[in-house]
Amino acid sequence: MFTELNSILNATPDSFTQGEFILVSDRQSDASFLIHHFLSFYLRARCKVCFLGLVQSFSHYSAISQRLGVSLTQARERGQLIFLEGLKESLSILIPQETTTESQAMDFLRDPTVGLQRLYEFVRSSVSSDGGGEEGVEEWGPPVLLVDDVSVLLSLGVSAGAALDFSHYCRATVCSQLQGNIVMLVRCHGEEAEDDGSDEGSEWLLKGLTHQCSLTLHVQGLPTGYCRDIHGQVEVCWRRRRGDGQHTQKKLFQYKVHDKGASFFAPGTSSAVL
């Protein structure tokens, strides 16, 4: 958990905004450190976390979380963390084995045209059951959905439109109905593409998700190139709806990732758009 980032976002595990859809994106850089931050943050906040790990194994996330002072194994054993290991689930479908239980959440791998309904049902079931009222079962705070990363679905044959539908339904359930939070990572490869009218690909997915979210953190390399003391920059954008319309505020921070955290430096660039 990165205390400097908490200060920027005006959030602590004891006090944070509920009902937020947070979009993390990167371009020619790696924003995965923010996923690890939000994972440790919400577990410390005693939220019920559903994590769709589509990129790495459970042991990978567990090792990094351990360095941040959080045990994913204990969180999963207590029922606080529901973890979908996308790599293992995908392998069980692509290479079926008699001893392997078939995954319903990843059914779209058998037929991408069916969409992501089963994956959504997995999310809804995970965030809706908190165990409250059951003897010997801990009661958790508001639910949180983390996805690392949603653009992987495109490479698995899912259309960008289906991915946006999935995020829309998740937002309606997690953010609106249950007053929980969503954190999604989407990766854009290469330079920023011109708008050629295409309705597929990571660029179009990024634009669609940006319209849905209330907070974006976009990670990119330094425009001046490699620097040993600064790893890149993060543009933080808040979107708030008020009576007279939507207000947008942007701030730019440079950062350096350490083994157990990250340092953020504000170069003094910010803007507000009404």
Side-chain angles (χ1 to χ4, degrees):
M1 188 175 67
F2 308 152
T3 55
E4 292 186 11
L5 179 57
N6 289 341
S7 178
I8 292 170
L9 301 180
N10 192 28
T12 68
D14 298 321
S15 176
F16 59 89
T17 302
Q18 294 181 220
E20 276 205 317
F21 183 173
I22 302 172
L23 179 63
V24 177
S25 61
D26 62 28
R27 188 186 304 278
Q28 296 183 320
S29 191
D30 185 5
S32 58
F33 71 96
L34 292 175
I35 291 295
H36 298 298
H37 161 77
F38 284 113
L39 176 59
S40 63
F41 177 91
Y42 287 117
L43 288 177
R44 288 178 183 272
R46 294 185 57 79
C47 295
K48 177 68 174 290
V49 177
C50 175
F51 189 179
L52 305 185
L54 305 178
V55 177
Q56 300 286 354
S57 65
F58 177 82
S59 59
H60 168 83
Y61 297 106
S62 180
I64 296 178
S65 294
Q66 198 73 41
R67 294 202 297 268
L68 297 176
V70 174
S71 173
L72 297 193
T73 301
Q74 291 181 5
R76 187 163 65 172
E77 291 174 349
R78 295 197 306 265
Q80 183 186 10
L81 173 65
I82 306 297
F83 187 90
L84 178 70
E85 192 164 354
L87 295 176
K88 182 182 294 185
E89 299 288 353
S90 300
L91 188 62
S92 69
I93 293 176
L94 299 175
I95 309 177
Q97 299 180 11
E98 293 182 1
T99 58
T100 302
T101 303
E102 290 188 354
S103 169
Q104 298 296 319
M106 306 288 284
D107 261 1
F108 63 88
L109 288 175
R110 297 185 179 91
D111 181 9
T113 61
V114 303
L116 300 172
Q117 181 177 351
R118 291 291 178 86
L119 186 60
Y120 164 71
E121 291 173 354
F122 173 84
V123 171
R124 183 180 60 181
S125 174
S126 299
V127 300
S128 298
S129 58
D130 59 3
E134 297 183 24
E135 186 176 354
V137 178
E138 294 188 61
E139 185 172 355
W140 307 109
V144 173
L145 169 64
L146 275 79
V147 184
D148 181 20
D149 69 80
V150 68
S151 53
V152 166
L153 297 174
L154 303 182
S155 62
L156 295 176
V158 177
S159 68
L164 288 174
D165 288 342
F166 169 73
S167 66
H168 171 77
Y169 283 109
C170 287
R171 182 167 64 99
T173 298
V174 178
C175 300
S176 300
Q177 179 181 341
L178 301 175
Q179 283 300 292
N181 289 357
I182 293 178
V183 181
M184 283 190 180
L185 171 64
V186 59
R187 297 186 183 278
C188 294
H189 304 287
E191 299 291 341
E192 188 168 0
E194 295 290 336
D195 185 5
D196 57 1
S198 174
D199 61 354
E200 295 298 332
S202 58
E203 294 289 344
W204 194 76
L205 178 60
L206 173 61
K207 291 179 181 179
L209 290 172
T210 299
H211 286 297
Q212 295 184 17
C213 71
S214 54
L215 172 65
T216 61
L217 294 92
H218 181 64
V219 178
Q220 54 190 343
L222 295 172
T224 54
Y226 171 79
C227 177
R228 184 180 62 180
D229 297 323
I230 300 176
H231 289 159
Q233 60 187 24
V234 180
E235 182 185 73
V236 183
C237 179
W238 293 266
R239 293 177 172 82
R240 295 287 183 264
R241 293 191 179 278
R242 300 176 184 172
D244 56 347
Q246 178 173 284
H247 292 242
T248 301
Q249 182 182 19
K250 295 181 180 181
K251 291 186 177 180
L252 189 65
F253 300 88
Q254 296 172 344
Y255 73 90
K256 181 177 182 179
V257 179
H258 308 287
D259 185 50
K260 293 187 177 182
S263 296
F264 287 81
F265 315 95
T269 302
S270 64
S271 61
V273 181
L274 301 182

